Amino acid sequence: MRAAEQWKDFEVLDTTSGEKLERWGSVILERPDPQIIWQTPRTADWARVNARYHRSKSGGGSWEVRDMPRGSWTIRYRELTFKIQPTGFKHTGLFPEQAVNWDYMAGRIRAAKERQPDREIKVLNLFAYTGGATIACSAAGASVVHVDASKGMVAWARENAALSGLGERPIRWIVDDCLKFIRREIRRGNRYDGIIMDPPSYGRGPGGEVWQLEDQVYTLVEEASRLLSEQALFFLLNSYTTGLSSSVMEYILGVAIRDRLGGSVSSDEIGLPVKSTGYILPCGSTAIWER
């Protein structure tokens, strides 16, 4: 497992009985996590919670606030700054475990720029959410196309870019259905040196039809892989879908990309260290093809 161990403004303090306790800057949040099936004694940190998220039986949920900043606040990871704001679906606008992927991609981009300082590295970030990967790649020197179907998430990502001092960097902000955008880019003949794909477990197609990731992921990868350039650096596929293991995603990248372009594929779970125990909390899976 690859763990995001370089955070200073974020940490998982403790986990037990379906709940996790996290520090986001100076704010401590308690959120549900169904995979936390162990029942260990709670540490003293639980008494310091600023807000607790309660699920609703009818869907969604709400925050029970004890003492929390109004609106939003910011945290930093290396040179990047992110706006944090609890939402009605328990999320905060950031998945901190993704820092291991940000570091990987930034490293690949910087290494390529060192070899060829004048080369433009073009990255496509699909299902790009609030732009963690976008601004990490931009800060490393890439030109990025950021695509998400949610206008609100794209606006949030633009805020994160501005907070990180990247507001004037070459980033295109696109509100669109990702598969439709991929197919248009294929017709246009555009190519990318890096592609990031972090699709949701469930989504809606162009006609409003509901789809599950397991049914669509191979098509998404196969189509998007046609956008890889001859000097492509990586294709990174991430998933939080329980039924889509890292090994399955590695297989998909193998048959869809490696068999055609060569290179290598790898996969692993990603996670976050838990302060109270020293163990790693699994937080999803990532598969990577690289040249």
Side-chain angles (χ1 to χ4, degrees):
M1 183 182 299
R2 296 186 298 132
E5 298 177 315
Q6 302 303 314
W7 279 99
K8 299 188 185 314
D9 281 2
F10 170 87
E11 61 183 334
V12 180
L13 300 173
D14 194 22
T15 62
T16 187
S17 305
E19 301 286 325
K20 58 184 174 182
L21 191 70
E22 305 162 304
R23 179 180 64 82
W24 300 81
S26 61
V27 179
I28 297 179
L29 303 179
E30 179 183 340
R31 298 192 294 164
D33 187 332
Q35 70 175 333
I36 300 173
I37 59 175
W38 47 91
Q39 298 179 7
T40 51
R42 294 192 173 208
T43 65
D45 286 325
W46 292 85
R48 301 163 49 206
V49 66
N50 296 106
R52 179 181 295 108
Y53 185 84
H54 297 284
R55 288 191 183 277
S56 169
K57 292 182 180 178
S58 59
S62 61
W63 289 91
E64 174 192 348
V65 177
R66 178 182 297 176
D67 179 23
M68 189 171 64
R70 288 192 176 186
S72 63
W73 64 97
T74 61
I75 65 173
R76 289 183 60 82
Y77 181 76
R78 301 191 189 277
E79 73 273 35
L80 311 178
T81 302
F82 302 97
K83 183 183 86 168
I84 303 302
Q85 184 172 346
T87 70
F89 293 93
K90 91 169 182 176
H91 298 304
T92 62
L94 192 68
F95 292 89
E97 62 276 6
Q98 287 299 323
V100 293
N101 289 332
W102 305 338
D103 287 347
Y104 163 79
M105 293 181 287
R108 294 283 288 164
I109 292 164
R110 290 191 173 105
K113 294 288 282 186
E114 286 176 6
R115 291 191 299 269
Q116 298 174 277
D118 296 330
R119 176 185 174 186
E120 181 187 17
I121 308 292
K122 297 176 63 178
V123 172
L124 174 61
N125 189 10
L126 299 164
F127 307 95
Y129 194 50
T130 59
T134 293
I135 65 174
C137 292
S138 177
S143 301
V144 185
V145 175
H146 174 110
V147 186
D148 196 279
S150 168
K151 184 177 180 180
M153 292 301 103
V154 173
W156 194 332
R158 295 187 73 144
E159 286 186 71
N160 283 334
L163 287 168
S164 296
L166 302 170
E168 301 304 315
R169 289 281 302 157
I171 304 174
R172 288 180 60 206
W173 306 101
I174 309 293
V175 179
D176 201 353
D177 174 84
C178 286
L179 185 56
K180 289 170 62 178
F181 181 82
I182 289 166
R183 287 171 173 166
R184 281 202 303 273
E185 289 290 89
I186 292 170
R187 292 195 296 270
R188 293 169 182 146
N190 288 331
R191 297 293 180 267
Y192 295 89
D193 304 300
I195 296 178
I196 308 154
M197 185 179 291
D198 190 0
S201 298
Y202 301 92
R204 291 189 179 275
E209 65 277 13
V210 178
W211 57 266
Q212 288 186 299
L213 179 57
E214 296 96 320
D215 300 329
Q216 299 293 326
V217 64
Y218 183 76
T219 297
L220 285 165
V221 170
E222 189 176 41
E223 295 270 21
S225 70
R226 295 168 63 187
L227 296 174
L228 288 167
S229 71
E230 292 184 358
Q231 290 183 291
L233 302 174
F234 61 82
F235 189 116
L236 186 146
L237 173 63
N238 189 79
S239 173
Y240 293 96
T241 302
T242 306
L244 194 61
S245 71
S246 59
S247 298
V248 169
M249 293 195 298
E250 180 177 337
Y251 195 101
I252 289 171
L253 296 191
V255 297
I257 307 177
R258 185 182 60 191
D259 288 354
R260 180 166 53 89
L261 301 180
S264 63
V265 293
S266 60
S267 64
D268 211 340
E269 289 184 287
I270 58 175
L272 292 163
V274 179
K275 177 186 173 184
S276 62
T277 64
Y279 295 123
I280 305 300
L281 177 68
C283 299
S285 299
T286 297
I288 299 171
W289 169 86
E290 60 183 15
R291 179 72 69 187

